[in-house]
Amino acid sequence: DGKKLVPITVKEISVGNTTLPVKLTFTDSEGQEAMVLLSLKTRSETGENRIFDRMFSFENPRLRYPTISDDIWDRITKGTLVKGMTKEECRLSIGMPEEVKQIPTYSGLREQWMYELNEYLYFEDGLLIDFRIL
C-alpha cells in the first residue's frame, strides 16, 4: 500500500523480465504481501532507480534519524505530511522536489518545493508551513 522504510521479510526471489530480471516477493510487519521487479546492478551501471540498493537496506534506516519522533516517522513510512515537519522529514516522506524556489517575504525567505502534478510545499525557517499534495 505504498509504505516505505519499514521492515520486511523476503518470501521468494524468482526470475523477473529482461529489463528487471529479479522478482522479489515480500511481506511487511503487518503481514501484507507485495512484489517488486528490480535489478541487482549498481545505479552507475544502469542509471536505473529500481535496483536493490536503492529500494532495500540491511540496516534499520530509522537509526540514521534518532531525532525524528515516532509520530513523524509513522507519517514518513506512509508518505504523508504534517505542518511543522523539517525539510529532511519531508524529503524522506515524499522524495526530492523537481524544483526549489527561494521567495523573499517581509519576514525573510520562504522556500517553495515543487513536484509533479502542481504539488507544492512551503517552508519558513526550515519547517513546513503549508502544502498542496494531490
Side-chain angles (χ1 to χ4, degrees):
D1 62 2
K3 288 186 284 186
K4 57 184 174 181
L5 303 172
V6 296
I8 62 145
T9 301
V10 175
K11 289 185 67 175
E12 181 182 7
I13 300 171
S14 57
V15 177
N17 59 37
T18 55
T19 306
L20 298 167
V22 178
K23 178 180 176 183
L24 187 74
T25 305
F26 58 92
T27 56
D28 67 12
S29 57
E30 297 172 355
Q32 293 181 329
E33 186 171 312
M35 180 277 302
V36 66
L37 295 171
L38 54 91
S39 171
L40 296 178
K41 294 183 178 184
T42 66
R43 183 174 166 84
S44 61
E45 290 175 309
T46 64
E48 174 65 54
N49 285 327
R50 294 187 73 172
I51 57 174
F52 184 86
D53 290 352
R54 293 261 308 161
M55 299 181 77
F56 298 98
S57 172
F58 289 108
E59 299 173 6
N60 181 351
R62 177 87 194 264
L63 298 177
R64 287 183 266 163
Y65 306 97
T67 60
I68 296 177
S69 71
D70 291 342
D71 178 54
I72 295 297
W73 192 258
D74 186 55
R75 289 185 174 276
I76 289 168
T77 64
K78 294 175 182 168
T80 61
L81 302 171
V82 65
K83 291 179 183 179
M85 289 174 80
T86 66
K87 292 178 191 179
E88 182 71 1
E89 291 165 349
C90 291
R91 184 191 62 77
L92 288 168
S93 184
I94 64 170
M96 293 294 293
E98 290 185 12
E99 186 178 347
V100 176
K101 286 185 181 178
Q102 300 288 327
I103 303 167
T105 67
Y106 290 110
S107 61
L109 278 179
R110 177 179 285 180
E111 190 168 287
Q112 178 186 36
W113 288 10
M114 292 164 282
Y115 293 83
E116 290 181 3
L117 305 173
N118 293 319
E119 298 177 323
Y120 299 93
L121 277 61
Y122 294 95
F123 297 90
E124 281 185 6
D125 298 324
L127 298 178
L128 184 65
I129 60 164
D130 202 5
F131 60 94
R132 184 178 81 191
I133 300 293
L134 304 175

